[in-house]
Every structure is written in C-alpha cells, then in structure tokens.
Amino acid sequence: MCIRCGQKLDGESGVTFGYIHKGLRLHDEEISRLRNTDVKNLLSRKKLYLILDLDHTLLNSTHLPQLHSEELHLLSQSDSLADVSKGSLFKLENMGMMTKLRPFVRTFLKEASEMFEMYIYTMESAVLILDDTEHAWMKHKDNLILMERYHFFGSSCLQFGFSCKSLAELKTDEDEVQGALSKILKVLKQVHYKFFDELKEDIAERDVRQVLKSVRREVLSGCVVVFSRIFHGALPSLRKMAEQLGATCLVELDDSVTHVVATDAGTEKARWAVKEKRFLVHPRWIEAANYFWEKQPEENFVLKKKQ
C-alpha cells in the first residue's frame, strides 16, 4: 500500500523490507531514484563502490577443533583482543574459532577506503567486487576482480580439496609487499585513476566495467599464444581467459607467436617453441596472470619434456 495515497500496489513490484514491517516494500522507481542520487553524490567525491568478500579474501578463519596438529602452535601465539587494531591472529574463545588477517589488509583497507565506498551489495556502473570466487557473481562478472584465495589454516585447504600443507603448518605467510592484496590494490588504483582522470565522457556516462576490461587487457598485451594438446573441455575457457587478458590467440604457428601453451612438451608445436626459442609454458601461466592481474615470469611455468 502506498503511504501517500493508500492505493494498493502490485504485490510483486519493488524491494521487500519485511524485516522492518511485514509486507513493507519500496517501489522500483523509488529504489532507482535513491540509487541515482547516491551515485551522483559518490562520483562527485571521486569515489567508486567496492564490494569485499571476507573469508579467503581479507582473512581466513577456522574452528579450533579443526586445527591440524602442526598448527597447534598458533594457540599460544594469538594476539590480544584488547586492541584488535594490532596483531593479525586472533583466538575467539566464545565462538570456538581462530581468525587470521591477511598480510597487508590494514594498509589495503586504509588506502582503498580513500578511493572507494564499501557496500554489502548494490549494482551500478560504478561498482567493483573483490572476491575469491565468481560463483556468487555469475550475473555480474564484468564487475568482478577475482583474486587468489587465502589459505592460512589447514581446514581451509581441505575445504577446497587441497592436500598440501597450510601456511600455518609451514610456519610462514604471504609476503606483505608481494602478496595478493598488495597486487590487487595496484589494480584498484589503476581502475580508479582511469575512471576519474583518463575518461573524457560525462562522469554520469562512465562505466567502471569497461575500465576494468581495459585494465585486464593490459596484463598479457603483446603476447601471441598458440595452444597445444589442451584438454578439449578446458580449451574454450582458457582461450577466453587469455583473450580477456589481452593476448592474441592463434590456431596455427607463425613468426608472430610468442608463447606455446601446452601440457605435453613432446607435441609438434611444443618442439617448435623450443627450436625457435619461444616460451613454452603450462596453462597455469595464464591462470596465474588472471589471479594476480599481472604477467607472470615464464621461467616459473616452463614445460619440460618428460624423462
């Protein structure tokens, strides 16, 4: 029912606010008006929206009973909850959990907050989403910055099917300067600069999704790729990923090819790469570039002939 005239409205229209009052809805037109007003105010302050995921992106948590034997040393190394602005490893006794902040997270949030307004959920042309998975954002992939998951605890590794030791078991952590958050902050700064300082359109007409695409295309710009013996089901998505990162993908070899991506060093194309002194790399080279938003050293992904 309209609060102004009392007329009953279409029960399916608008957005529900039943947690405030049963049956309460805000009409689509009013939602649109509020969003437009909010966006104009945001852009006038040279800010964009940034949606942040927590677990595996900014921190990693585990239940205390799930700590692996080689992680039990953490119980005596947790930081005080009296001042959570310091430290990074916290034991939450009442919840039976332990949480580890990702290295660089405070610097990341401090600097990102100067460029972005943090929101739980909204969809405008000024929104970026930072998450470790794309499954929750299938309709909004163009807004998504996908990043490497943070697996500090062993339970986190098991959750995603990894049999490797956790960072905690190895008694190490991500690098503060070269870690994932530091690299992603550089991407955010690049997007922010392009949006506000490079684009010539009227600010209301600018679209951060196009900016994000242009930044992504710079990652493998100049690379000419040919694929060899890639599992048929994986090839289309790998090719699409490479093209989104700015690489040119060819079917046949020619002198312009810079990289042969293969899983078998014995194929004709792989042998050509070695003979012509071109890069012969595993598909993980492309996947790593996609996660880190940065071209990775080829020597870390060299494909060697099986003995």
Side-chain angles (χ1 to χ4, degrees):
M1 181 181 291
C2 175
I3 62 171
R4 291 181 179 174
C5 67
Q7 180 182 348
K8 287 197 173 184
L9 302 175
D10 176 9
E12 298 301 317
S13 66
V15 178
T16 59
F17 288 89
Y19 58 89
I20 297 176
H21 189 280
K22 185 178 179 180
L24 179 63
R25 285 176 177 267
L26 200 59
H27 198 277
D28 291 332
E29 291 180 8
E30 183 63 9
I31 289 285
S32 179
R33 186 190 69 81
L34 291 172
R35 280 180 173 171
N36 290 337
T37 301
D38 193 33
V39 169
K40 287 178 181 178
N41 176 50
L42 192 78
L43 297 179
S44 69
R45 294 185 286 124
K46 291 191 71 172
K47 283 194 172 187
L48 300 170
Y49 292 108
L50 178 63
I51 299 173
L52 293 168
D53 176 51
L54 291 178
D55 203 20
H56 303 110
T57 300
L58 298 183
L59 51 81
N60 192 206
S61 300
T62 189
H63 292 282
L64 294 177
Q66 292 180 330
L67 283 172
H68 292 189
S69 59
E70 294 178 66
E71 297 176 331
L72 293 177
H73 65 277
L74 298 173
L75 294 173
S76 61
Q77 297 176 3
S78 60
D79 298 304
S80 173
L81 288 170
D83 185 2
V84 293
S85 64
K86 299 175 182 176
S88 64
L89 180 65
F90 301 101
K91 184 165 60 173
L92 312 173
E93 295 281 8
N94 294 337
M95 299 176 65
M97 295 185 70
M98 182 165 270
T99 290
K100 171 65 174 62
L101 302 183
R102 198 169 197 163
F104 196 71
V105 67
R106 289 189 175 88
T107 302
F108 175 88
L109 290 174
K110 181 178 182 297
E111 295 196 24
S113 67
E114 296 172 2
M115 301 180 290
F116 300 90
E117 198 78 25
M118 316 290 190
Y119 277 83
I120 299 300
Y121 184 82
T122 183
M123 275 302 133
E124 302 295 338
S125 58
V127 176
L128 292 177
I129 304 164
L130 182 60
D131 204 339
D132 64 279
T133 179
E134 65 179 14
H135 297 309
W137 309 103
M138 299 305 287
K139 294 182 180 179
H140 309 293
K141 286 185 179 181
D142 290 343
N143 300 79
L144 179 65
I145 298 177
L146 191 64
M147 69 177 299
E148 184 184 29
R149 287 193 179 102
Y150 183 45
H151 295 296
F152 185 75
F153 297 107
S155 61
S156 177
C157 296
L158 290 176
Q159 179 186 346
F160 289 90
F162 297 123
S163 58
C164 58
K165 288 192 174 183
S166 67
L167 292 170
E169 290 173 300
L170 296 171
K171 297 184 178 179
T172 186
D173 207 347
E174 279 188 1
D175 187 87
E176 184 83 14
V177 178
Q178 296 298 322
L181 280 181
S182 179
K183 292 181 182 296
I184 291 299
L185 182 61
K186 293 176 183 176
V187 175
L188 292 175
K189 287 181 176 180
Q190 194 176 356
V191 171
H192 186 271
Y193 175 79
K194 282 178 175 288
F195 187 93
F196 285 106
D197 298 312
E198 284 191 3
L199 294 183
K200 304 303 180 185
E201 302 96 329
D202 180 75
I203 196 165
E205 302 299 320
R206 298 174 194 176
D207 193 330
V208 75
R209 291 167 291 193
Q210 298 305 317
V211 176
L212 198 58
K213 284 182 180 179
S214 71
V215 170
R216 195 192 300 267
R217 283 195 296 267
E218 293 176 12
V219 175
L220 294 182
S221 176
C223 297
V224 181
V225 175
V226 164
F227 296 95
S228 179
R229 199 166 292 178
I230 303 296
F231 175 63
H232 183 71
L235 184 58
S237 60
L238 198 62
R239 179 188 297 275
K240 182 179 179 181
M241 186 182 295
E243 290 174 341
Q244 289 175 337
L245 293 170
T248 300
C249 297
L250 302 181
V251 177
E252 300 297 334
L253 296 168
D254 65 31
D255 289 339
S256 69
V257 172
T258 60
H259 295 74
V260 172
V261 178
T263 55
D264 184 350
T267 67
E268 181 181 345
K269 291 174 181 175
R271 293 197 300 270
W272 175 90
V274 174
K275 179 184 176 183
E276 298 296 326
K277 293 183 170 54
R278 311 299 165 90
F279 293 111
L280 176 60
V281 293
H282 193 274
R284 283 193 293 268
W285 175 73
I286 294 176
E287 294 168 352
N290 187 56
Y291 268 115
F292 289 106
W293 288 71
E294 188 174 77
K295 183 170 174 283
Q296 300 298 293
E298 286 85 357
E299 57 267 25
N300 294 345
F301 301 87
V302 170
L303 188 67
K304 295 181 179 178
K305 199 166 186 176
K306 296 177 182 178
Q307 299 298 321

